[in-house]
Amino acid sequence: MEKVSLKFLAYIAIAFKRLKAKKRLTILLIIAFALTIAVTICIPVFAGAVGRSVVQEKLESKNRSVDTPLFSARFYAMPTASHPMTLDDVSYAHEWLADLLDRQVGIPIKSSFVQSESSTMRLLPTSEDARYDEAIEINVVCVQNIGQRIRVVEGTPFDTVDNENRMSVWVLSSFADRLGVHVGETFDLAYSFRTQDEPIQLKVKGFWEPIDHSSSFWYDDPETLYRDSLLTSRKQYETYIERVAPEGTGFNFWYYILDDSKMNLNYATRYIHGLQQVRREVERRLPREGMDRAPVKELKQGRERKDHLSILLLALSIPLVGMLVLFMALISSIVAHSQRQEIAILISRGASQGQIFILALVETLLLLVIACPVGILGGLGLARLIGFSRGFLSFARAPSFMVHFASIDWRFFVVASLVCLVARLVSSNSVPGFSIVSYERHHMTGRQKLRTAARLLLLVSMAAVTAYAYSRLEQRGTLGHIATEIWSDPAQDPLVLLSPSLFLFAASFLAAETFTIILLPLGFLGRFSSSTAGHLACTNLARGANRYRMAVYMLALCLSMGVFYAAIAKSADTWFLDRLRYKVGADLTFEQAVAQGEGNEVSPLHTWIPLSEFEELPGVDGATRVGQFIAETSARDNVPKFRLLAIERSKFPQIAYFRSDFSESSLGGLMNSLARRELGILLPESLAVELHVTKGDELPLDVLIGEKWYPMRFSVAGTFRYFPTMVNPEKEPVVVASLGQLQREIGSFPHEIWMSLEPGAEGKQVTREVKKLGISAIRVGDLKQYVARDRQRLERVGIFGTLSVSFLTALLLASSAAIINNVASISRRSYFLSVLRAIGMEKAEVLELVSVEYLVVIAYGIAAGVIIGSVGAKLYVPFFPFTLSAELPVPPYIPYMDLERAGWMTASMGVLFVALGGMTLLRIADTRLFEVLRLGVKA
């Protein structure tokens, strides 16, 4: 055993020295490990925090208190003469319930509250006291450890007993004020169910009040809880009440507050099952028992919200997670290849391949020992950062949003750690086990492990899988719906969910392979260069483009990921606003009503107020009338009822929200079509197909206006795909007619006012101004208010927080990859460049040679990344899960390129790589020529 320990310590010593010898690569590898763990665990942590907030919100709404504990449970028992409970029994039940909760639920108990009440008793004045005409029904209460939570404001301290044959009680100050009771007064207390017994004599020893009304110790407001109660000590209760009450205690309850900081909604099912098991045990063992407070329903709601949000955010982050896996493998490969010469030396000195593997394993475990706690803290920080999101790359502090260590899903942590471990070991094991002689021979021949045919086969395979996944995605619907299916049934096809990631990886791979082909003509063109450095740069790029394949791949992949996420964020932000605009129809909408009678009742307004009066109100830019009615047709069976919008053709296009993709014709063109037909009508395209009508056909409709149906024959003037306020085209289609033509047919009718507001105008202020016209605005649709409320929605916060974190992480990954590649490149090129200087090439020419190569690689990688990200956004943004519905959203997503962020990100990446190139040039300029040639550093 001692020998094994010494061998293991030797491995640790060698591994530590190897890691120390390459400090920069070691630090970067630790950062990569920690970042992988942090990104993997942050989404479940954030979703868990959202689930907790849902539980808290539901409990506060249910209990009408903002201080309701997140996880508490109350049990009660009502003893009888046949099943009595003394205070000793109550104390035993308290310990038994605490142990049962701890075992069944698995969350520690933070505090508890135990109260015992007597059955109803009658408080009587003594025979010489004639102030009270009748008895007062009251309870005597004993509360465990209450002495530490109250202060006696008048009288003797609590639980102080004189040597009198009277029971000592204390009452609330409000109780004393209400009944006119004074300290020192005596009363008789009669047991209501045994009137023949001698009453108990009691004395009011003092008035009390809670030290802190809001303390979690109280499960309810003490002023309400003890409004008609006499508080006494345990000893006094046992001496006087238990002596006359055959049931011992009349009502007992045990209230437990569990430590919610240890609560993880991943185990909500276990908590619910545990509470139900405790309830069954209570019902079996306690008299007339029950559990009347426990967050069973709230836990279910919180778990569902957490699961849905986890699905949504994980679907958004899958491209990043996939890139992290690949990033880890590439970095580990760079580190492993930088150690090839060391491995060759170790093998030459007798080390076996197994020992090399164990050494790599020990190195990786040492890295994980440091990276894991950093990654966990980073994951909690990222989850907190997501909660602060108020938009893409926009953050504001949210004090009420808290993340907890207990919310970590350790399954994700284990998976992330294994990915880091496997990526490192596979990369280390992929390095051939050469001796120093065979290594030199291999290095000189320049044989490549991955041949061109294998790369082409991999590229074709990736392209085929990507095309298949995209075709399946088009058939299946949104990624959110697919993620929900896979979450509930892992047997579903996961390639569809990975479709965006596959595209980005495959396209970047294609860009890297294309780079080697594009550079081939440079070797020929370099012959015509008058500059020695230019000629060598072209020749090196043409012959040695393989050296830059990884740099191009990582730059294109990371930059395309950043452009892709920026496009998703802009598309999401635009769609969230479009969705609300589409739902409301304009900046402000309302129905007109007038007061009716003396109360607050209102009735629809039939009088038409001139629009000019609305348009003259402060903050109003324009206004139009819109009538909304129910309509149906007998032209075809099984057709749902319509919602008929009667609009003003001239005003509506200036006020309403309408997008170019809503119809093949412009909104103005649709309005002109209405004008050209008597009683013209516009239909959704799907409804026109269902009714078998085309432009110019007649369509009989019955329209309900007020309480009367009006039969009319409309003429189809045109069709549209979407129209403002038509949220559900299948269940409630909208048809559009001219309000003026409808008015000529049937006269005046109640209608809505739709307004466009000036920038900065508030809808509430406008509706207050409307009241000055003598009318009330009811059923108000205020777009600005809806937008403000939507920005606080936790799903929206999570979406933009995840996109922001993913965007920033992609930039960090690109920077890390660039730095690592730069460090490795200096080591690889130093020998070759030193040979050039040794045979007579000037230092300035060497620097020019390296600069040309770097600029070509940077320019190509940046161009490829921007193009791939833009194409990916165009293809995949319409499928991204801003909702979890199976249907495509209404209105549909439109992919938007965030040109501003893509521009400064591209510029930043360019500056970063140029700066790294400058660092490389400085290192090359400072290289000690003869030392490099003597040592032969080629790794």
Side-chain angles (χ1 to χ4, degrees), residues 92 107 247 269 301 745 907:
Y92 175 79
I107 298 179
E247 69 275 10
T269 303
Q301 293 171 330
E745 291 289 324

Side-chain angles (χ1 to χ4, degrees), residues 435-541:
S435 66
I436 189 65
V437 175
S438 59
Y439 169 75
E440 291 295 334
R441 187 182 302 118
H442 170 79
H443 187 77
M444 292 302 294
T445 57
R447 291 180 298 177
Q448 298 180 8
K449 183 180 176 182
L450 185 62
R451 300 185 182 278
T452 304
R455 289 199 308 271
L456 290 177
L457 179 61
L458 178 61
L459 179 60
V460 171
S461 301
M462 289 182 68
V465 172
T466 301
Y468 163 78
Y470 183 77
S471 64
R472 292 282 292 154
L473 179 60
E474 283 188 308
Q475 297 171 7
R476 296 283 299 279
T478 69
L479 282 167
H481 176 59
I482 296 167
T484 305
E485 291 181 348
I486 293 176
W487 185 277
S488 58
D489 181 11
Q492 294 285 337
D493 188 357
L495 285 178
V496 184
L497 193 60
L498 296 173
S499 184
S501 304
L502 288 171
F503 171 80
L504 294 175
F505 296 152
S508 299
F509 190 10
L510 176 62
E513 292 300 318
T514 305
F515 179 67
T516 61
I517 298 173
I518 291 176
L519 294 182
L520 289 177
L522 281 180
F524 175 76
L525 295 176
R527 299 175 184 176
F528 303 99
S529 175
S530 58
S531 167
T532 303
H535 171 72
L536 283 176
C538 292
T539 304
N540 287 339
L541 286 170

Side-chain angles (χ1 to χ4, degrees), residues 542-613:
R543 295 178 179 177
N546 289 337
R547 291 195 304 267
Y548 297 103
R549 182 185 288 110
M550 185 180 296
V552 169
Y553 182 67
M554 287 304 298
L555 178 56
L557 179 61
C558 295
L559 187 57
S560 66
M561 190 72 70
V563 173
F564 183 65
Y565 274 117
I568 293 175
K570 183 169 183 178
S571 303
D573 197 24
T574 304
W575 181 77
F576 279 127
L577 182 58
D578 286 353
R579 174 178 56 92
L580 294 174
R581 285 173 171 169
Y582 185 83
K583 180 180 178 181
V584 179
D587 293 342
L588 181 68
T589 66
F590 58 87
E591 292 183 24
Q592 303 172 90
V594 292
Q596 186 179 30
E598 297 181 357
N600 295 325
E601 295 183 2
V602 294
S603 61
L605 179 68
H606 288 262
T607 306
W608 287 35
I609 297 176
L611 287 177
S612 58
E613 296 192 25

Side-chain angles (χ1 to χ4, degrees), residues 103 341 743 907:
R103 285 188 289 107
Q341 195 171 23
Q743 183 190 13

Side-chain angles (χ1 to χ4, degrees), residues 13 109 223 228 265 312 357 373 376 410 500 594 600 617 654 679 773 881 889:
I109 294 172
E223 294 290 343
D228 297 312
L265 286 177
L312 191 68
F357 178 80
I376 290 172
W410 294 104
V594 292
N600 295 325
L617 296 176
Q654 305 167 26
L679 278 182
L773 301 178

Side-chain angles (χ1 to χ4, degrees), residues 618-630:
V620 177
D621 184 54
T624 186
R625 307 179 198 275
V626 176
Q628 296 206 43
F629 313 104
I630 296 175

Side-chain angles (χ1 to χ4, degrees), residues 717-743:
T719 59
F720 54 81
R721 299 188 190 96
Y722 303 96
F723 206 84
T725 73
M726 188 176 70
V727 178
N728 195 328
E730 300 299 326
K731 295 182 180 179
E732 191 187 39
V734 167
V735 296
V736 182
S738 168
L739 183 138
Q741 293 179 0
L742 209 61
Q743 183 190 13

Side-chain angles (χ1 to χ4, degrees), residues 33-64:
F33 280 12
L35 190 61
T36 302
I37 294 170
V39 171
T40 305
I41 69 173
C42 72
I43 287 176
V45 170
F46 173 78
V50 172
R52 293 168 64 90
S53 69
V54 170
V55 175
Q56 185 73 61
E57 179 184 327
K58 299 298 182 183
L59 287 173
E60 289 172 358
S61 174
K62 177 180 176 180
N63 300 324
R64 299 179 182 177

